[in-house]
Amino acid sequence: MNEDTPWHERFFAGAWQRVQPNSFSPEDTRQSAEALRELLQLDPGATILDVPCGEGRIAEHFAHWGYRVTGVDRSEAFLAMAQEKAGARDLQIDYRQANMWQLDALGHDGSYDAALSIWSSIGYATEEDDRNYFRCIYDALKPGGALVVDTQCLETLLSDFEERQWYQAGEILVAEQRHFDPVSARVLSLWTFAGADCFEQTESSLRIYSYRELESMLAGLGFADFESYGSMELEEFELTSPRLVLVARRP
Ligand SMILES: C[S@@+](CC[C@H](N)C(=O)[O-])C[C@H]1O[C@@H](n2cnc3c(N)ncnc32)[C@H](O)[C@@H]1O
């Protein structure tokens, strides 16, 4: 990696690899997966595309419930963790390594009942990249298939903007100092990861869409039947909601 390496390639390959798997308790993840299951009301054996799937924390719940799950991520390290966890529980999950902005290569046309985009997995690169990602997901879904996007949006971010945040992820203290640039609509963050055997500072830059922008992007790709919720607790989405959980369907 060098100075020209995009932030997301640097970030997800660094200390974040120890942070991500420790960012949610097993109980929180189980509750999120159950909320998604409730929301999707899938038939037994339904097919699910989880991208990016990280270390498979959501994918493995759906596999355990008997759904046929494909998990896609670019990180070899997260996929290795995911494979190991699935192997230990004897779960069959089709994990694939790919760039989510170039999913065409996976040839997933029209075979999925649902697709998951969980935990702020958009806005890393350009709007065109996000459009490509959602276009490939649209193509991957069966008619009637649902996409769920769980993300921060402009309304949820700015109604309660905090310039400094920190939390503990396993043995690592995570501190984020952030600045919102209204011209590019991006949150620029400086992250510090500190632990007994780790100290890293790295940056991120996230395009934050408003609800209308995101819905328009999806509608422009053909998605319809939008529903929105304010978190994985599935309450109504409003200005002060903690998250946007947006459901859209391929007609
Ligand atoms: C915030 S995590 C979310 C992971 C998962 N959805 C979850 O809820 O735990 C973002 C994930 O995106 C992956 N990622 C980043 N850029 C990617 C890309 N271009 N293509 C595929 N995966 C990517 C990272 O490796 C990481 O696992």
Side-chain angles (χ1 to χ4, degrees):
M1 287 191 210
N2 57 45
E3 281 176 5
D4 298 331
T5 306
W7 74 264
H8 40 86
E9 287 182 28
R10 201 185 299 271
F11 185 92
F12 290 108
W16 182 259
Q17 292 196 344
R18 292 169 62 188
V19 171
Q20 180 168 307
N22 291 304
S23 288
F24 296 94
S25 70
E27 181 54 20
D28 283 350
T29 289
R30 192 183 57 75
Q31 282 175 10
S32 297
E34 276 175 1
L36 289 166
R37 184 190 194 189
E38 177 73 27
L39 194 57
L40 289 165
Q41 296 289 321
L42 297 165
D43 292 333
T47 45
I48 299 173
L49 176 62
D50 182 8
V51 51
C53 63
E55 75 288 358
R57 69 186 184 98
I58 299 288
E60 58 199 24
H61 283 279
F62 280 91
H64 174 70
W65 293 323
Y67 299 108
R68 287 176 291 153
V69 184
T70 301
V72 178
D73 205 279
R74 188 160 66 175
S75 161
E76 224 176 294
F78 287 137
L79 289 172
M81 291 179 213
Q83 294 280 15
E84 196 182 319
K85 288 195 293 160
R89 294 179 64 192
D90 208 16
L91 297 172
Q92 302 301 320
I93 303 176
D94 179 13
Y95 282 121
R96 312 265 187 100
Q97 187 176 20
N99 182 341
M100 63 182 161
W101 307 313
Q102 296 161 13
L103 286 176
D104 298 289
L106 292 176
H108 279 148
D109 285 0
S111 55
Y112 287 92
D113 294 292
L116 305 176
S117 173
I118 306 301
W119 187 20
S120 303
S121 294
I122 56 174
Y124 298 165
T126 65
E127 288 173 32
E128 202 43 45
D129 288 323
D130 286 334
R131 205 170 286 112
N132 277 336
Y133 166 64
F134 287 130
R135 182 179 51 74
C136 290
I137 287 180
Y138 182 92
D139 291 342
L141 287 171
K142 292 177 184 168
L147 161 69
V148 184
V149 184
D150 156 47
T151 184
Q152 195 65 267
C153 67
L154 207 60
E155 293 82 353
T156 60
L157 181 85
L158 295 186
S159 62
D160 185 24
F161 190 76
E162 291 181 36
E163 287 190 341
R164 288 187 174 77
Q165 281 194 326
W166 69 274
Y167 70 100
Q168 186 85 29
E171 294 174 352
I172 300 185
L173 182 69
V174 180
E176 181 186 1
Q177 273 176 273
R178 54 190 189 174
H179 163 76
F180 178 70
D181 172 27
V183 175
S184 60
R186 299 188 82 94
V187 175
L188 309 168
S189 300
L190 172 66
W191 297 78
T192 305
F193 304 116
D197 59 348
C198 145
F199 183 83
E200 182 183 307
Q201 288 199 300
T202 190
E203 291 173 346
S204 66
S205 164
L206 245 69
R207 169 73 165 94
I208 307 292
Y209 297 99
S210 69
Y211 173 87
R212 290 286 331 146
E213 282 180 319
L214 190 55
E215 199 195 81
S216 298
M217 181 187 281
L218 295 174
L221 293 167
F223 282 100
D225 296 336
F226 296 96
E227 291 164 45
S228 53
Y229 302 91
S231 78
M232 286 294 185
E233 313 254 301
L234 306 184
E235 77 278 19
E236 193 186 337
F237 172 68
E238 52 189 12
L239 187 60
T240 53
S241 296
R243 310 279 298 168
L244 167 63
V245 178
L246 183 61
V247 186
R249 288 187 185 270
R250 175 176 179 165

